[in-house]
Amino acid sequence: MTSDLQNSPKTAARDIELAIGGMTCASCAMRIERKLNKLDGVTATVNYATEKAKVTFPADLDPDTLVAQVEAAGYSATVPRPETAEPEAAEEDPARSLRQRLIGSLVLSVPVIVLAMVPALQFTYWQWISLTLAAPVIVWAAWPFHKAAWTNLRHGAATMDTLVSMGTLAAFAWSLYALLFGSAGVPGMTHPFELTIERISGDGNIYLEVAAGVTTFILAGRYFEARSKRRAGAALRALLELGAKDVAVLRNGREERIPVEQLAVGDRFVVRPGEKIATDGVITEGSSAVDASMLTGESVPVEVGPGDAVTGATVNSGGRLVVRATRVGADTQLAQMAKLVEQAQTGKAAVQRLADRISAVFVPIVIALAAGTLAFWLGAGGTVSAAFTAAVAVLIIACPCALGLATPTALLVGTGRGAQLGILIKGPEVLESTRRVDTIVLDKTGTVTTGKMALTDVHTDGADTDEVLRLAGALESASEHPIAQAIATGARERVGDLPAVEDFTNLEGLGVQGIVDGKAVLVGRTALLADWSQHLSPELAAAKATAEQQGKTAVAVGWDGRARAVLVVADTVKPTSAEAIGQLRGLGLTPVLLTGDNEAVAKAVAAEVGIETVIAEVLPADKVDVVQRLQDEDKVVAMVGDGVNDAAALAQADLGLAMGTGTDVAIEASDLTLVRGDLRVAADAIRLSRRTLRTIKGNLFWAFAYNIAALPLAAAGLLNPMIAGAAMAFSSVFVVSNSLRLRGFRSTIG
């Protein structure tokens, strides 16, 4: 035992999450990961999407060593500070700098491109105006690419940033040479729009529009990506926003309202009807119904009384409660759920961008080809000017102008069409998952069902149904209980206005009583009616038992000395859910119903909509485990949910779809948001995402195809700059036109 205690500090491992800065692509994340894993006893996973590194390291290793290791790789890292809201609020938006560069680049680049492509506008000294406008774009706006390329160079790597930086700088450098030392700077120089193939010296041509245009297009793509990534942490902020902000604490017999952060374990606090419970605790006084659906997924409000545990952020629907705090701050269930969401997001496999995958092979080949071209022409006795022109032409034609448009344009058109149909796609990395998904996990409450209690059946024993609804509905309309409100709403819909109530009394935990139309009416549990010797008939008792077996809530109604009816209240299935399940099956997906509700309710709902696999009575943490278990079985899992309790599972799933009618937490933790509450939109979302991905892949192919086709001409020194410009323009037009086809996507919903 002594030996174990002595050794434990050395062998124990700790976990830390570092915030990483300076990454520009997935290969950066891989480089940092390799660097950290070189340290003894360190296991690191770096996520490019969330810009975080999850590191397990020996207890005797200083976290500053981890930071130093990341910085040695050319990136920045910070150790998380103690939990507080201020640093998060003060954190700079990384998209702001990109937005400023993009706007500046756009304003300056458009005139440069127009002047270069329209000979009629090429006035005297136009080339020098182009240089003046293009220089800030290539030096200042493209600085993130140059910086990333330099970092990659120091580590012997090449990415899309390398290609963009080399191509733009080569085009700019050669343009400067042609203007200062060649014939391009003479007054009256023009770029004739000729498509001829001939060997040229190059010192009479400038490529400023290429450099400025590429910079603008790539910046646009990076800006939209950064803005999407910025939302990754919003799920955690939204979770913390759910909690109460202040609380009425009992001190010396008096209520004192304090910020919830000052609440301590053991404090007694008051929760009034409609208020959020400030923190996890145990009820010491009062009884009520607590709406915990946002956290647990349980559609029926839970009856609570003295001695029952309650959870922070749930809502007190009924009477006044006094609660003793048992857990505060980071120990509460809400805080634990926030941690689950964060872990699930961080644990996602780093997304390898399609462009980076292609660039990883394409860039080294292009660089080698440019160097080989230069060496060949010098060795073959060509002039230095001709040799350098051919080498630069290789870099310029390879510079991926259309590549900068390939993903953003398809994404913009696809997401724009999606928004019209009630589908919000968060980013290009989402699309890859939709192609591979084979299993779809559906939360029950609020997704397959409406998530709201409603009156579904009225069973009577000799009484008129309308009279039952008038009397029971009138009495329940005076109660704040959610089940009572469901009965009152259902009664109004069927019989119209309800009569007034006299001598209304709310009997905690039993039901309500009062005088309606001169009749003494009881509505509530069978125990309440039994106290007044009003017992259910065999028919009513059977109806009540059947409803409860199906997981529904049965409420007894009686007046004038006997039980008259049983009202059945339940969370109802959305009318379109069964059709949606059929559509999902048609896409090759296997549906699974997952819920925190009891098994009887879940099976009844599953049978109604056509789902065979049911997993019921699960807690939020269990939902994550279910998704992980399916993933461990080599299934690619999509998850559809709407509540706080679904947020961690949505983040864990390969593809998370949130119902827009649900909570902000679920929406922020998901990859796709379905604005409408119709589950059929989920099938539309997957179809649209798959089609958008196919479009992006087609765009990427053609973006490179034009460049690759012209590379031999460039290497041979036969590439007229107008051919290069035309090929680049045509590839860009093709990519945009191909993306615009997504506007024709049609929903299956009429």
Side-chain angles (χ1 to χ4, degrees):
M1 176 67 82
T2 305
S3 174
D4 289 344
L5 290 172
Q6 287 173 343
N7 292 335
S8 61
K10 294 183 180 180
T11 57
R14 291 193 290 162
D15 290 325
I16 195 171
E17 200 168 68
L18 300 176
I20 307 295
M23 293 191 294
T24 59
C25 61
S27 58
C28 297
M30 293 168 62
R31 193 172 306 122
I32 297 169
E33 200 169 284
R34 285 196 300 267
K35 194 80 171 176
L36 286 169
N37 286 330
K38 286 181 180 178
L39 294 172
D40 289 337
V42 172
T43 304
T45 303
V46 180
N47 191 324
Y48 166 61
T50 58
E51 296 183 328
K52 289 182 178 179
K54 189 175 182 181
V55 187
T56 302
F57 62 103
D60 57 354
L61 183 67
D62 189 342
D64 289 340
T65 305
L66 302 174
V67 173
Q69 190 79 345
V70 174
E71 290 175 346
Y75 305 90
S76 65
T78 54
V79 178
R81 298 180 181 182
E83 290 187 15
T84 171
E86 283 75 12
E88 187 72 46
E91 185 181 320
E92 184 184 351
D93 183 357
R96 185 179 303 165
S97 172
L98 280 172
R99 182 170 62 247
Q100 292 170 346
R101 293 179 193 275
L102 175 59
I103 292 172
S105 179
L106 194 62
V107 170
L108 296 172
S109 297
V110 170
V112 175
I113 295 170
V114 170
L115 285 173
M117 303 303 289
V118 184
L121 298 178
Q122 293 170 2
F123 53 85
T124 307
Y125 299 119
W126 69 273
Q127 67 271 43
W128 294 100
I129 297 296
S130 291
L131 176 65
T132 305
L133 294 173
V137 176
I138 297 154
V139 176
W140 169 72
W143 176 247
F145 308 131
H146 304 323
K147 183 180 178 182
W150 173 245
T151 300
N152 292 329
L153 181 62
R154 283 165 47 208
H155 297 280
T159 65
M160 185 172 160
D161 289 311
T162 308
L163 194 58
V164 173
S165 180
M166 288 188 68
T168 53
L169 289 177
F172 185 58
W174 186 254
S175 299
L176 272 179
Y177 169 80
L179 286 168
L180 297 174
F181 305 107
S183 59
V186 299
M189 186 279 281
T190 60
H191 264 176
F193 197 80
E194 297 174 349
L195 299 180
T196 57
I197 297 177
E198 59 178 327
R199 188 163 289 133
I200 53 175
S201 67
D203 60 3
N205 299 294
I206 58 176
Y207 304 92
L208 294 171
E209 78 284 357
V210 174
V214 167
T215 299
T216 303
F217 288 137
I218 305 295
L219 270 176
R222 288 289 169 84
Y223 168 66
F224 290 118
E225 178 189 15
R227 199 173 64 168
S228 173
K229 281 166 59 180
R230 172 66 176 165
R231 292 199 295 264
L236 306 180
R237 290 193 290 275
L239 259 178
L240 298 175
E241 283 294 314
L242 275 180
K245 302 298 180 289
D246 53 24
V247 57
V249 179
L250 287 175
R251 293 200 174 145
N252 300 321
R254 298 178 59 184
E255 291 185 24
E256 180 182 337
R257 193 154 285 274
I258 62 171
V260 73
E261 292 82 9
Q262 296 178 15
L263 197 63
V265 172
D267 282 346
R268 293 168 70 243
F269 59 93
V270 176
V271 189
R272 290 182 173 77
E275 285 187 341
K276 290 179 181 177
I277 296 172
T279 193
D280 298 358
V282 174
I283 296 172
T284 60
E285 295 177 29
S287 58
S288 179
V290 172
D291 181 2
S293 61
M294 302 290 272
L295 287 172
T296 65
E298 179 68 48
S299 54
V300 181
V302 181
E303 301 283 352
V304 293
D308 290 334
V310 289
T311 305
T314 55
V315 179
N316 176 19
S317 301
R320 178 181 181 273
L321 297 175
V322 177
V323 180
R324 177 173 52 81
T326 56
R327 291 186 292 188
V328 297
D331 296 327
T332 64
Q333 187 174 338
L334 183 66
Q336 292 300 316
M337 291 179 68
K339 190 170 183 64
L340 275 173
V341 173
E342 189 170 23
Q343 287 174 346
Q345 285 185 332
T346 307
K348 274 190 175 179
V351 177
Q352 187 82 357
R353 296 294 301 276
L354 290 172
D356 283 324
R357 290 179 190 168
I358 300 169
S359 298
V361 178
F362 187 65
V363 175
I365 292 174
V366 169
I367 294 171
L369 185 59
T373 300
L374 180 65
F376 172 80
W377 283 110
L378 289 175
T383 65
V384 174
S385 176
F388 193 71
T389 299
V392 170
V394 169
L395 287 175
I396 290 171
I397 194 61
C399 196
C401 184
L403 184 59
L405 287 167
T407 298
T409 53
L411 195 62
L412 283 171
V413 178
T415 53
R417 181 60 183 146
Q420 292 175 338
L421 299 173
I423 303 162
L424 304 181
I425 303 172
K426 284 200 174 175
E429 64 274 8
V430 171
L431 305 176
E432 278 190 287
S433 300
T434 64
R435 177 177 55 86
R436 299 179 293 113
V437 163
D438 54 32
T439 303
I440 185 160
V441 177
L442 303 166
D443 172 55
K444 180 186 76 67
T445 308
T447 303
V448 177
T449 66
T450 61
K452 296 178 181 178
M453 304 300 288
L455 180 63
T456 59
D457 295 295
V458 180
H459 301 278
T460 63
D461 183 13
D464 179 67
T465 300
D466 285 354
E467 185 179 17
V468 169
L469 290 173
R470 282 181 68 256
L471 299 179
L475 194 58
E476 292 285 50
S477 67
S479 171
E480 298 171 336
H481 198 289
I483 292 176
Q485 288 301 308
I487 292 172
T489 301
R492 286 192 192 93
E493 289 173 353
R494 300 189 195 189
V495 300
D497 293 338
L498 302 175
V501 180
E502 300 174 21
D503 297 333
F504 174 82
T505 305
N506 186 0
L507 303 167
E508 296 291 350
L510 289 173
V512 292
Q513 66 183 39
I515 307 296
V516 183
D517 286 349
K519 295 181 173 66
V521 183
L522 301 172
V523 181
R525 297 181 185 274
T526 52
L528 173 62
L529 274 69
D531 288 344
W532 292 81
S533 298
Q534 298 180 13
H535 301 286
L536 297 183
S537 65
E539 292 80 6
L540 292 180
K544 177 177 179 293
T546 301
E548 290 175 344
Q549 284 172 2
Q550 295 172 349
K552 299 177 181 179
T553 301
V555 178
V557 182
W559 67 83
D560 289 347
R562 82 182 171 91
R564 306 280 180 164
V566 167
L567 306 179
V568 180
V569 176
D571 180 12
T572 54
V573 173
K574 294 177 181 177
T576 58
S577 291
E579 182 185 345
I581 300 302
Q583 291 176 358
L584 291 170
R585 286 188 187 278
L587 291 169
L589 308 180
T590 303
V592 176
L593 189 67
L594 181 65
T595 179
D597 250 340
N598 66 66
E599 192 164 352
V601 175
K603 286 187 174 179
V605 170
E608 189 172 342
V609 298
I611 297 177
E612 297 167 5
T613 308
V614 178
I615 305 172
E617 299 178 18
V618 290
L619 298 173
D622 296 332
K623 290 192 175 186
V624 178
D625 293 339
V626 168
V627 172
Q628 287 178 329
R629 189 168 72 246
L630 290 169
Q631 290 170 329
D632 290 341
E633 295 171 1
D634 294 328
K635 298 184 187 301
V636 182
V637 181
M639 167 81 185
V640 187
D642 74 324
V644 176
N645 61 305
D646 303 318
L650 287 169
Q652 175 63 40
D654 299 283
L655 179 69
L657 299 93
M659 306 297 277
T661 51
T663 64
D664 289 345
V665 182
I667 291 168
E668 294 297 349
S670 67
D671 302 306
L672 291 165
T673 300
L674 315 178
V675 176
R676 288 187 273 177
D678 192 332
L679 189 58
R680 290 178 298 177
V681 182
D684 282 341
I686 291 172
R687 285 175 50 243
L688 176 61
S689 297
R690 287 178 175 178
R691 186 166 163 187
T692 305
L693 178 65
R694 286 198 301 271
T695 301
I696 288 175
K697 286 186 171 180
N699 286 350
L700 290 171
F701 170 78
W702 288 109
F704 277 104
Y706 289 111
N707 301 70
I708 292 170
L711 277 174
L713 292 176
L718 297 172
L719 188 64
N720 183 298
M722 282 297 101
I723 292 181
M728 197 166 286
F730 184 68
S731 65
S732 298
V733 169
F734 180 88
V735 161
V736 172
S737 302
N738 192 39
S739 298
L740 289 173
R741 291 170 57 235
L742 286 167
R743 293 193 300 186
F745 179 85
R746 292 285 179 266
S747 170
T748 56
I749 302 173

